[in-house]
Amino acid sequence: MKIYLSVDMEGITGLVDYTHVFSNQHNYERGRAIMTAEANAVISAAFEEKAAEVIVNDSHSKMNNLLIEQIHPEAKLISGDVKPFSMVQGLDGSYDGAIFVGYHARASAKGVMSHTMVFAVKKMYINEVEVGELGFNAYVAGHYGVPVIMVAGDDGAADEAGELIPGITTAIVKKTTSRSSALSLTPQKAHQLLQEKTVQAIRNKKNVKPLIPPEHPLLTIEFNNQGQAEWASLMPGTEWHEGTTKVSFKAKDILEAYQAMLVMTELATNSTFN
């Protein structure tokens, strides 16, 4: 059995604001240590459930947050930026299941540090389905026939996962009180929960179906302001919906849509006047 782990940071236990997740802030080193320990709780449980291989993809910001010297010795880590497929780099059809750890709610939804990729994004859609990082990443997994069997993070992420993927196991390590505060488990209690839920998810994996993406998906991103939409629409093949901040791209498959999203959001960050 081969398990894929995508580990983000905003949904990690006890991390509630930008000081925990921005590398130039005073709480960041604490945050990455908690993040690494939380990943290890899931990895350890996966190996105890007879996983032969666990591949971990660092999926936050510059994607070099996890402390490799503290990661479970039998796991392998994908680290660094730029990655052609970002938060799902290395995911393919060889995996029996994917687990998302440290995930958060999508932009414009209630949740701790809720956002989608970059703060320029207000909403994102695949055809008519609104998605965040969780949903988009699950579609990529589904492209390869891999089910997302567990999502760990805040209650917003758990709600989103349950709406998209019937039967998925969720582990709620903190409950939202505002976008920058939460009622959180302690790391020790979170580790116990994550280990229990990982065992449950692996034993239940045959009952969770992959989230199959549509053929030739239409990606639409609604940005927060016009300048961001202007920048995103510079990418060839996009259509800017005049009078709105929405930019669309018709993709040949979900993989092309994902890379288009990466380019469009990166371009949008060039808009500096709000």
Side-chain angles (χ1 to χ4, degrees):
M1 179 175 60
K2 188 175 178 183
I3 297 295
Y4 181 91
L5 224 65
S6 175
V7 186
D8 202 358
M9 201 167 188
E10 288 88 356
I12 295 293
T13 305
L15 278 53
V16 295
D17 62 30
Y18 75 100
T19 67
H20 292 108
V21 299
F22 284 17
S23 62
N24 62 348
Q25 296 296 315
H26 65 283
N27 276 321
Y28 170 72
E29 290 301 327
R30 291 177 59 232
R32 70 193 302 216
I34 296 169
M35 176 190 188
T36 303
E38 197 145 302
N40 277 337
V42 176
I43 296 166
S44 296
F47 280 123
E48 288 172 8
E49 282 299 300
K50 310 303 181 185
E53 189 172 7
V54 178
I55 304 296
V56 183
N57 184 33
D58 191 326
S59 297
H60 174 71
S61 188
K62 294 301 180 182
M63 304 189 175
N64 56 4
N65 313 279
L66 289 167
L67 299 166
I68 193 168
E69 63 271 28
Q70 295 179 19
I71 286 287
H72 191 294
E74 298 304 316
K76 295 177 183 176
L77 176 65
I78 303 170
S79 182
D81 192 35
V82 174
K83 298 171 183 170
F85 286 96
S86 188
M87 300 179 76
V88 283
Q89 181 64 36
L91 182 55
D92 58 30
S94 67
Y95 291 90
D96 297 282
I99 295 175
F100 296 164
V101 178
Y103 270 56
H104 52 82
R106 62 181 179 258
S108 301
K110 182 180 179 181
V112 181
M113 294 184 278
S114 59
H115 69 282
T116 301
M117 301 305 291
V118 298
F119 296 129
V121 173
K122 183 177 181 180
K123 293 190 176 184
M124 189 179 294
Y125 301 88
I126 295 296
N127 290 1
E128 302 301 318
V129 179
E130 187 176 356
V131 295
E133 296 166 18
L134 189 162
F136 215 145
N137 293 342
Y139 270 137
V140 173
H143 171 83
Y144 292 111
V146 177
V148 179
I149 60 174
M150 174 175 146
V151 166
D154 71 350
D155 50 345
D159 290 345
E160 196 171 320
E163 291 171 4
L164 287 169
I165 307 168
I168 192 171
T169 299
T170 57
I172 299 172
V173 299
K174 57 190 174 188
K175 294 185 178 180
T176 306
T177 53
S178 74
R179 194 167 178 270
S180 56
S181 65
L183 176 66
S184 181
L185 298 178
T186 62
Q188 292 88 343
K189 286 294 185 181
H191 297 169
Q192 292 176 19
L193 175 68
L194 290 165
Q195 289 171 335
E196 292 169 3
K197 291 291 188 175
T198 300
V199 170
Q200 178 184 327
I202 289 174
R203 294 179 180 179
N204 185 58
K205 63 183 174 60
K206 291 183 179 179
N207 297 319
V208 183
K209 295 181 179 179
L211 184 64
I212 303 299
E215 295 183 7
H216 312 297
L218 179 68
L219 166 68
T220 301
I221 303 177
E222 182 179 2
F223 294 95
N224 286 316
N225 66 51
Q226 176 137 331
Q228 294 157 349
E230 287 172 345
W231 271 101
S233 68
L234 294 177
M235 190 183 82
T238 56
E239 178 188 359
W240 181 13
H241 301 255
E242 191 171 350
T244 75
T245 58
K246 294 180 180 179
V247 182
S248 294
F249 179 82
K250 186 71 171 178
K252 65 181 181 182
D253 58 24
I254 199 68
L255 300 184
E256 186 177 63
Y258 195 88
Q259 291 194 318
M261 176 272 294
L262 294 177
V263 174
M264 290 165 69
T265 53
E266 186 68 22
L267 284 170
T269 62
N270 284 286
S271 178
T272 56
F273 185 76
N274 293 323

